[in-house]
Amino acid sequence: MFLNCHTYHSLRYGTISVEDLVQLAVDHKLKVLALTDINTVTGIYQFYKLCQNVGIKPIVGVDIRVENEQYYICLAKNPKGIAEVNRLLTNYNCEGIEIPKANPQLEDSFVIYPLKNIPEKLLEHEYIGIRQDELNLLYAPELTALTHKMVILHPVTFKTDEEYELHKVLRAIAGNTLFTKLTEDDYCKSNETFIGKRRLLEKYSQYQEIIENTKYIVDECCFDFDFKTPKNKKYYTENKENDFKLLKKLAYEGLDKRYPDDNVQAKARVDKELAVIDQLNFCGYFLITWDIVQYSNRMDFMHVGRGSGANSIVSYCIGITDICPLELDLYFERFLNLNRKTPPDFDLDWSWKNRDTILQYIFDKYGKDHVAFCGTNVEFKSRSRFRELGKVFGLPKEELDILSKKPRDQHDQNSIVDEIYKYEKLLVGFPNQRSMHSCGILISEEPITNYSALEFPPKEFPIVQFDMHTAEDIGLEKFDILSQRGLGTIKDTVRLIEEKRGITVDIEDTRISKNEAKCNEFLSIGKTIGCFYIESPAMRGLLRRLKCENYKVLVAASSIIRPGVAQSGMMREYIFRHNHPDQFEYFHEVFEKELGETYGIMVYQEDVIKIALHFGGVSAENGDVLRRAMSGKGRSLSALQKLKDDFFESCRKKGHPEQLSQEVYRQIESFAGYSFCKAHSASYAVESYQSLYLKAYYPIEFMVSAINNGGGFYRTEVYVHEAKMAGATIHNPCVNLSEFQTTVYGTDVYLGFMHIEKLEASLKQFITDERRNNGDYTSLEDFIKRVPIGIESLQILIFIGAFRFTGKQKHELLIEARFLLSKGQYKTKIISLFDEPQKDYQLPVIERNQFEDAFDEIEILGFPVSFSMFDLLKTKYRGHVLVRDLLKYHKKQVKMLAYLISRKHVPIKKKNHPGKKDDMYFGTWIDAEGQYFDTAHFPDSLRRFPFKEGGIYLLLGTVEVDYHFPTVTIIKMAKMPLIADPRYSMDKEKSLEIERSLREDVSVTFREPYPHEIELPRKKMGY
């Protein structure tokens, strides 16, 4: 009888989760329940399963509304019904086709109109919903004549009176209005909650026809859904047989290219994999992925196939991946095995510049009716909860900022803030908006609207209304089409080397970018800034601790840097064993046999599976469950817990002592959900080596490309500094030598107009296009004639030195610019042959402070170019110790002067308060010689000597050398003042603005402190 129920997937409207809605139905002993969220089917599949589990018949549909006006409620008679409603919504969301207010073409759905929207004609499957408070209106003759087409309408939107108020708050958030300005039309009625079925029927006891109509609809609706059958596109060709023939042909052709020496092992592996792929009906999935890669190759794009797909030699042979699984002993079963019921998961990376082209190809090739992005439900985050609620209750911006950014002990305590606290707590976990999954593409066999309505988020690709977990649950596996800046940097560097030096580098030939001597040297000293995945301070520190000198150690490093390995203490133990291979024993022979390459330490997801299978003796099927737990898809620790009993029972059967089994399981459990598979690490390692090869041999071109691709872990300034350290001379933007992007001439690097934020993008491009078409600019006057520019933009270019080729001082150019623009005669680009040249006035030479240019550069670019930050200090002191000497000061105090590059927040357990957390930071700095070093800041030091934004600090700390890597543990620090800005010598407050604006890179970790660090035994355990 409840045909119009809403959950919180009716965004900013409903207040009930899907689980709670079903539980309420159970509590009220209902046998039938309908879910009709507003304009969405987000929750219907979870609802269906939950209802099935508790013996309730699920009815699904949609409450159709346009601009908050309810048109009608659609209830699907069958799966075709929900499909046609999905298409109705999709046409509206994606094509702008109006939703009809009456008589929509829905043959397999019941349509129920509210009393406010009765159409002139009711079709056979259309009814009018009558709410209990509308029954007294039925005495009107025009309504009495329609009772034979009426049904019970009792909407459900909230559970309690408190949630009713929350519903109103949500409506105010949706309308971006004050709570006090809501009208009755903005929110639902106060009776939209569950009541007993008997009590509801009593309200309609005088209208048996209405009750019977309602029962009829309930009986006729039957939404049966098959979750087990895959919904992905089945075949690449027209059938399974041809798919297999094509895949086999491609695999054999690739086998000859990848293994030209008739490798028997490779041939056997290909045949074995093909048999499994065919048996599981996954040939089409492989071929669709291959097709996408082939298009990429035709477009001369660079891609990386990573993740567990690199465990497959077939993937390697047909060009999806570039990792040889034989070289790294990657076993296919990690990717695909006969126990797996869902398609494999390929992760494919492209440059951020090329990804949209790849996506467009997929949509064009497989049809917009069959392709969509996964959706994702974005919850109200902590800051947004406070900010949205603060707006609803009328707080001014200053108080909103305090509420959303400051801890609670700094909030004003008053009745309004108390109300905000109450609703903020209620909103935890609520979805706020639907968005696009970052990379997951769905390609379906049937029209994708059979399963979901589609929406258009700001990016111009349609999304389904559910997330990746629901997609997988209903049988739609995603293709991960990802983007990253690292590939763009590599590709652009290769192009730049060819353009500027005439040298062709085949960077995809892994023979030149794997285990190469100079690259290994750079690895061992952590000289990796700008290189994909291995440039962060933590990774550079790890590489130095390991003195990493080869590809296989880099593969391991890519995984042990992950949180589960690092925070559990396994990373520390790996470093010890790598540096002292003769100072430990394998505590069981299985660990020596299966994990000898990683010193008996579980580093990859595969390692956990190996130990579970070979030590614990768990079944292959449970091994696959374990694999999914490791990747987080099986909800990690909870999935592991289900395997625990089976693991210990198997260990007992194998005769392992309880103590030994407990130790092994302890290590497995600490690892859950936080590791890479080995193939994933290997893919990252290959790309890291490619970056490193280019950095080692073509450092200036490499850093220019890193700058143009938006860098990576650090801000632009750091990559500019790296180019300078590599021998480049850095120049400010110049209208005659700069491009939109940064460019290089020999060792001269000219920063691009892209770095001047206050210039319009169209103007930046116009300057270079005009110069390319009509030659260099000969003077400021010539520039103004040819480029449509206003005085403010022109002043910015003058201040950054873009007209220094004229030889004139900035003040001269500023006066000339104002004079030329004030004449107003250069409104177009057209240059007359009879233009009179500008008269050359002699202006007095003005003595300028040498540092004025540096302050101009910081203001416009964010960092100085003409001088270093150290040149701008008041003090001439440069520290007691420089980075090159740190290794000599182990356990000694040092005083250093350093420029802050970045800091990383890490939550730790509070001393003497195990249940509470504290904060510490790791800092990365450069000294006066431009060399990098790292610091550790513990809570006691931070409380007394906190960070005060970017700038140069005087540091006092103790050096700790940990396996070749020095870290300074800070005792005290103080930010050092710069000279006053000479441009504002008469205004003390203004002269300090630049110093206060100095940038730093801050990364914050919101996770809880890792629960424990496990100590791995270094001696064989008795058994």
Side-chain angles (χ1 to χ4, degrees), residues 255 262-270 313 326 329:
L255 183 66
D262 195 24
N263 188 311
V264 175
Q265 183 187 4
K267 168 73 166 57
R269 172 82 173 249
V270 167
I313 199 170
L326 302 182
D329 191 28

Side-chain angles (χ1 to χ4, degrees), residues 335-354:
F335 177 55
L336 204 56
N337 57 73
L338 294 176
N339 293 306
R340 181 165 186 163
K341 301 298 186 284
T342 56
D345 197 0
F346 285 112
D347 293 339
L348 300 171
D349 283 358
W350 276 272
S351 163
W352 60 286
K353 297 176 181 177
N354 304 142

Side-chain angles (χ1 to χ4, degrees), residues 724-973:
K724 191 174 181 180
M725 296 295 285
T729 302
I730 309 299
H731 299 275
N732 282 317
C734 169
V735 295
N736 277 338
L737 289 166
S738 290
E739 303 289 341
F740 178 82
Q741 293 188 320
T742 296
T743 192
V744 59
Y745 306 93
T747 59
D748 290 304
V749 171
Y750 281 81
L751 297 176
F753 297 117
M754 63 185 281
H755 302 298
I756 306 176
E757 291 183 6
K758 291 182 181 177
L759 284 187
E760 291 182 8
S762 58
L763 177 61
K764 298 174 190 179
Q765 194 62 56
F766 188 94
I767 292 170
T768 57
D769 290 345
E770 166 61 26
R771 186 186 73 222
R772 195 173 292 113
N773 294 332
N774 297 304
D776 285 356
Y777 302 105
T778 58
S779 64
L780 178 64
E781 180 183 13
D782 179 49
F783 179 85
I784 292 173
K785 286 180 180 179
R786 294 162 59 184
V787 177
I789 191 170
I791 187 63
E792 289 184 4
S793 297
L794 190 58
Q795 284 180 167
I796 292 170
L797 289 171
I798 291 170
F799 280 126
I800 203 59
F803 297 98
R804 57 192 179 277
F805 71 90
T806 63
K808 296 181 179 180
Q809 288 186 304
K810 289 182 181 178
H811 78 282
E812 290 182 80
L813 292 166
L814 288 169
I815 292 171
E816 186 180 342
R818 288 189 173 276
F819 177 75
L820 288 168
L821 287 177
S822 67
K823 290 170 71 175
Q825 63 201 54
Y826 303 119
K827 299 295 184 185
T828 72
K829 292 175 48 181
I830 300 171
I831 302 171
S832 168
L833 294 173
F834 305 104
D835 275 342
E836 292 184 12
Q838 170 68 31
K839 289 183 180 179
D840 195 10
Y841 296 99
Q842 291 296 318
L843 295 172
V845 175
I846 296 177
E847 291 254 347
R848 297 183 78 247
N849 184 299
Q850 64 174 333
F851 296 121
E852 283 189 40
D853 286 343
F855 281 89
D856 281 340
E857 289 154 6
I858 295 172
E859 184 175 337
I860 295 170
L861 299 175
F863 54 90
V865 175
S866 305
F867 296 89
S868 85
M869 286 301 304
F870 291 91
D871 295 327
L872 304 181
L873 283 172
K874 281 185 177 179
T875 180
K876 300 297 180 187
Y877 179 69
R878 292 297 178 263
H880 170 61
V881 173
L882 291 168
V883 171
R884 54 183 152 86
D885 297 318
L886 276 179
L887 290 173
K888 303 173 187 174
Y889 285 86
H890 182 49
K891 298 293 184 185
K892 295 178 183 176
Q893 277 193 12
V894 294
K895 192 182 288 184
M896 303 181 72
L897 202 69
Y899 181 43
L900 179 59
I901 297 299
S902 67
R903 56 185 166 111
K904 164 79 173 177
H905 166 265
V906 179
I908 60 173
K909 292 180 182 177
K910 200 161 191 172
K911 285 182 182 177
N912 306 320
H913 294 85
K916 296 185 177 180
K917 65 178 179 178
D918 221 329
D919 299 314
M920 73 168 292
Y921 278 90
F922 291 104
T924 298
W925 313 73
I926 57 172
D927 69 3
E929 292 184 340
Q931 300 299 325
Y932 299 89
F933 70 100
D934 294 87
T935 56
H937 304 252
F938 289 94
D940 290 343
S941 167
L942 279 171
R943 276 188 277 272
R944 296 174 59 210
F945 305 101
F947 286 94
K948 295 182 177 179
E949 308 299 335
I952 295 178
Y953 287 70
L954 181 62
L955 307 172
L956 177 68
T958 304
V959 179
E960 303 285 343
V961 180
D962 183 28
Y963 299 108
H964 331 292
F965 178 65
T967 302
V968 182
T969 301
I970 297 302
I971 301 168
K972 297 179 181 179
M973 70 177 183

Side-chain angles (χ1 to χ4, degrees), residues 143 403 430 587 738 870 1009:
L143 291 179
L403 266 181
F430 267 50
F587 71 90
S738 290
F870 291 91

Side-chain angles (χ1 to χ4, degrees), residues 295-417:
Y295 173 75
S296 172
N297 293 341
R298 291 195 298 273
M299 296 295 291
D300 195 29
F301 295 162
M302 186 176 180
H303 89 283
V304 170
R306 58 177 174 84
S308 61
N311 288 59
S312 164
I313 199 170
V314 171
S315 300
Y316 180 55
C317 287
I318 67 176
I320 294 173
T321 66
D322 284 309
I323 302 297
C324 170
L326 302 182
E327 178 186 7
L328 291 173
D329 191 28
L330 305 176
Y331 64 107
F332 179 61
E333 289 73 17
R334 162 61 185 87
F335 177 55
L336 204 56
N337 57 73
L338 294 176
N339 293 306
R340 181 165 186 163
K341 301 298 186 284
T342 56
D345 197 0
F346 285 112
D347 293 339
L348 300 171
D349 283 358
W350 276 272
S351 163
W352 60 286
K353 297 176 181 177
N354 304 142
R355 179 175 179 251
D356 281 359
T357 305
I358 295 294
L359 292 174
Q360 193 61 57
Y361 171 75
I362 295 170
F363 276 86
D364 291 344
K365 169 89 178 186
Y366 297 100
K368 66 177 184 177
D369 292 335
H370 296 269
V371 186
F373 261 90
C374 267
T376 180
N377 290 313
V378 181
E379 295 179 358
F380 282 98
K381 305 298 183 200
S382 177
R383 283 190 175 188
S384 68
R385 291 197 297 270
F386 278 114
R387 184 164 290 280
E388 293 289 357
L389 289 168
K391 286 194 291 186
V392 164
F393 287 102
L395 294 185
K397 182 181 183 303
E398 296 74 21
E399 290 187 49
L400 285 178
D401 290 340
I402 293 171
L403 266 181
S404 60
K405 296 177 182 178
K406 302 290 184 183
R408 291 199 179 201
D409 57 11
Q410 295 182 32
H411 295 176
D412 286 339
Q413 299 304 316
N414 54 51
S415 58
I416 292 178
V417 172

Side-chain angles (χ1 to χ4, degrees), residues 64 184 187 269 608 639 722:
I64 301 290
E184 287 188 1
Y187 51 83
R269 172 82 173 249
V608 182
E722 275 291 286

Side-chain angles (χ1 to χ4, degrees), residues 977-991:
L978 302 182
I979 60 171
D981 187 341
R983 304 172 304 167
Y984 303 105
S985 56
M986 306 297 288
D987 187 336
K988 185 177 179 182
E989 193 62 29
K990 194 84 172 165
S991 71

